[in-house]
Amino acid sequence: MKTVVFYLWSVLAALCLLYGIIVARAGSGTGFFVVWIGLGVMFAGFAVVVKLHLWKAIPEWMQNCFIGIVVVGIALFLIIEKGVVSGFFEEGQDNLDYIIVLGAQVRENGPSVVLKYRLDRAIDYLEENPDTKCIVSGGQGANEPFAEAVGMADYLIKNGIDEKRILVEAESRTTEENIKNSKTFLEEDASVGIITNDFHVFRALQMAGEQGLSEACGIAADSSKLYLPNNMLREFFAEIKHLVRLAVR
């Protein structure tokens, strides 16, 4: 049994370290790959504990605390990820008055892969619903050549969307600000959909509800399957942070 547990921790450690390197090399613009490296090191430490028979040397109360933390952590992870996965199936409604496309990183040569998925989904929706207006939302980050919304509008126009249908919100820096600032463009009682990547829909709709857009519907764009584990783990921590902020308000 100990041999099985040792190999389990070892394999998990190797997979996390390898995946962390893959994410780092992707140049996603964030340092989240460090979390995967940290998980790899932690699992490797667990493997060492098993291999050297150190578990019995740990006081029983510490063993119980560790097991309790692990059980609670796994339960919390599964609950949150169930919500995240539910967002994958949000298809929105036809003939909305507005859609809001949430920003993501832009580069000199255009939108990042994550943002391109969102914009391509918006193009599909706008072509199918010619009376819908589109709000593109996103300011300029320190590592971006221009505001995200500007790059988003340019991409939509180059792909055949009439610029008269596009409203540009170029000040926001967070998802919460995306929605809050985009609200100023909405007419009273307007129907609205929020376009973002599948892994992000769950949290985006929570924030929409908090901003008074409880009737907003999600429209899930696709995402890279290779980086989906990374994005879903990021969403787990982002959701924890979001819930803590709500609790202390």
PDB file of all heavy atoms in Angstrom, residues 183 219 236 244:
ATOM      1  N   LYS A 183     -22.323  48.677 -17.677  1.00  0.00           N
ATOM      2  CA  LYS A 183     -23.718  48.954 -17.305  1.00  0.00           C
ATOM      3  C   LYS A 183     -24.151  50.348 -17.725  1.00  0.00           C
ATOM      4  O   LYS A 183     -25.324  50.572 -18.023  1.00  0.00           O
ATOM      5  CB  LYS A 183     -23.880  48.832 -15.782  1.00  0.00           C
ATOM      6  CG  LYS A 183     -24.691  47.649 -15.342  1.00  0.00           C
ATOM      7  CD  LYS A 183     -24.942  47.698 -13.853  1.00  0.00           C
ATOM      8  CE  LYS A 183     -26.170  48.528 -13.546  1.00  0.00           C
ATOM      9  NZ  LYS A 183     -26.531  48.504 -12.109  1.00  0.00           N
ATOM     10  N   ILE A 219     -23.016  33.581 -22.087  1.00  0.00           N
ATOM     11  CA  ILE A 219     -22.787  33.004 -23.411  1.00  0.00           C
ATOM     12  C   ILE A 219     -21.355  32.491 -23.397  1.00  0.00           C
ATOM     13  O   ILE A 219     -20.399  33.273 -23.402  1.00  0.00           O
ATOM     14  CB  ILE A 219     -22.985  34.041 -24.531  1.00  0.00           C
ATOM     15  CG1 ILE A 219     -24.398  34.645 -24.459  1.00  0.00           C
ATOM     16  CG2 ILE A 219     -22.750  33.400 -25.895  1.00  0.00           C
ATOM     17  CD1 ILE A 219     -24.643  35.763 -25.451  1.00  0.00           C
ATOM     18  N   PHE A 236     -10.810  28.442  -9.369  1.00  0.00           N
ATOM     19  CA  PHE A 236     -11.052  27.984  -8.004  1.00  0.00           C
ATOM     20  C   PHE A 236     -10.536  29.016  -7.004  1.00  0.00           C
ATOM     21  O   PHE A 236     -11.264  29.440  -6.102  1.00  0.00           O
ATOM     22  CB  PHE A 236     -10.373  26.636  -7.769  1.00  0.00           C
ATOM     23  CG  PHE A 236     -10.349  26.210  -6.323  1.00  0.00           C
ATOM     24  CD1 PHE A 236     -11.504  25.791  -5.698  1.00  0.00           C
ATOM     25  CD2 PHE A 236      -9.173  26.253  -5.596  1.00  0.00           C
ATOM     26  CE1 PHE A 236     -11.496  25.407  -4.357  1.00  0.00           C
ATOM     27  CE2 PHE A 236      -9.153  25.865  -4.261  1.00  0.00           C
ATOM     28  CZ  PHE A 236     -10.323  25.443  -3.635  1.00  0.00           C
ATOM     29  N   VAL A 244     -14.498  35.480  -0.191  1.00  0.00           N
ATOM     30  CA  VAL A 244     -13.926  36.132   0.996  1.00  0.00           C
ATOM     31  C   VAL A 244     -14.208  37.622   0.970  1.00  0.00           C
ATOM     32  O   VAL A 244     -14.577  38.219   2.000  1.00  0.00           O
ATOM     33  CB  VAL A 244     -12.409  35.859   1.068  1.00  0.00           C
ATOM     34  CG1 VAL A 244     -11.760  36.732   2.141  1.00  0.00           C
ATOM     35  CG2 VAL A 244     -12.127  34.382   1.345  1.00  0.00           C
TER      36      VAL A 244
END
